[in-house]
Amino acid sequence: MKDMVLLVLNQIPKYFSNFISILVGPKSFVRGRNDTSQQTLAEAMTFYGISFVITMILSWPLMPVHVESARFLATRALTNLIVVTIGAALTLVSWRFVGGRAQFASYFVIGCYYVGVLIVFMMLVFLCALGVVKILDPALYPILAESSAHIQIVNEKLNALINDPGNRKHLNVFLIYNLIFLIGMAAMLFWSILGWGAFREINGLTKMRSFVAGIIAFLFTLIELPIVFVIQYVMD
């Protein structure tokens, strides 16, 4: 435990420089961490853990007062861990289909770094989109802010507001909100494609096989997302 605490404390000053390094050169960053030692695994999980804490700090002011903070943190932490673990497992299976032989730990290490960057980036995109809504449509803002705290299959307040035929402003601002999200997701996808080469390197395969593995991984993602949604919904 003492060693783990010291590791976390030592990694905090390195976090932001590592974050920038991964952001501008994801493949080159993980290239130097292509091993399955306990040290490498611990550093990757620490990076991911710090990223998770940052997202929680950024979203904390938006959490409704009636939401139990301990339960909120626990469910989000567990869901994010499930996402990283399932994602690493599905990526491994994707590469196995094209002849990859890298071990699960290698995928998990890369996943911790990549997801650690992505969750912070998407949180910043979300806050940016929410800030635009707060400026353009103060009535819509609290509804979207509250919905971020827990998943809702049907949001009656939101539906009533954006479907109001007497005021199309709410719908227009909601579309702007979603457009910002789409731009953020497009940027995230482009960055993920740049980083996909790291998996090709740990498997030592051709770009064509990497492309096929990427298609398979994308199809797996379409299966993973509903599963994660259901898990999060049940936990909330």
Side-chain angles (χ1 to χ4, degrees):
M1 177 60 71
K2 180 181 178 181
D3 292 339
M4 178 58 69
V5 172
L6 290 175
L7 174 64
V8 172
L9 293 176
N10 289 331
Q11 287 299 309
I12 290 176
K14 300 179 183 178
Y15 173 81
F16 293 102
S17 62
N18 285 342
F19 188 95
I20 297 300
S21 297
I22 302 171
L23 189 63
V24 300
K27 187 169 67 174
S28 60
F29 179 86
V30 298
R31 184 181 295 130
R33 293 159 178 80
N34 184 18
D35 64 74
T36 57
S37 67
Q38 291 186 352
Q39 178 72 16
T40 299
L41 183 60
E43 289 180 356
M45 293 182 68
T46 300
F47 179 89
Y48 171 75
I50 295 173
S51 291
F52 173 75
V53 171
I54 289 175
T55 62
M56 290 297 97
I57 292 174
L58 291 174
S59 64
W60 201 260
L62 303 175
M63 189 175 68
V65 293
H66 65 271
V67 175
E68 185 181 346
S69 58
R71 178 182 175 82
F72 178 81
L73 285 173
T75 56
R76 289 300 184 273
L78 181 58
T79 302
N80 278 268
L81 181 60
I82 291 173
V83 169
V84 175
T85 305
I86 294 179
L90 293 179
T91 305
L92 181 149
V93 174
S94 301
W95 282 96
R96 285 288 191 269
F97 273 112
V98 297
R101 289 292 179 266
Q103 298 301 309
F104 174 78
S106 297
Y107 294 100
F108 187 77
V109 166
I110 296 175
C112 283
Y113 282 115
Y114 282 10
V115 176
V117 169
L118 291 173
I119 61 175
V120 172
F121 176 77
M122 288 310 298
M123 176 56 68
L124 293 175
V125 171
F126 167 70
L127 293 176
C128 177
L130 206 56
V132 171
V133 172
K134 188 174 184 179
I135 295 172
L136 299 179
D137 192 348
L140 181 60
Y141 170 79
I143 297 175
L144 293 178
E146 182 179 2
S147 66
S148 68
H150 56 88
I151 293 177
Q152 301 177 58
I153 296 179
V154 178
N155 191 325
E156 296 181 356
K157 293 181 180 179
L158 178 61
N159 289 337
L161 203 61
I162 64 176
N163 292 321
D164 181 6
N167 190 344
R168 307 306 293 176
K169 175 183 176 181
H170 302 307
L171 177 60
N172 293 334
V173 173
F174 183 65
L175 291 176
I176 294 173
Y177 170 81
N178 283 281
L179 177 61
I180 295 173
F181 257 110
L182 288 175
I183 294 173
M185 291 181 66
M188 180 181 70
L189 177 61
F190 177 75
W191 183 85
S192 298
I193 293 173
L194 292 179
W196 185 251
F199 297 107
R200 180 171 61 86
E201 290 188 359
I202 65 174
N203 284 287
L205 298 178
T206 63
K207 291 184 178 180
M208 179 55 68
R209 292 195 178 193
S210 175
F211 176 77
V212 175
I215 296 298
I216 296 173
F218 175 76
L219 295 176
F220 277 147
T221 300
L222 298 180
I223 300 174
E224 179 189 8
L225 290 178
I227 295 175
V228 173
F229 179 88
V230 171
I231 293 174
Q232 185 65 67
Y233 179 75
V234 171
M235 288 182 175
D236 282 347

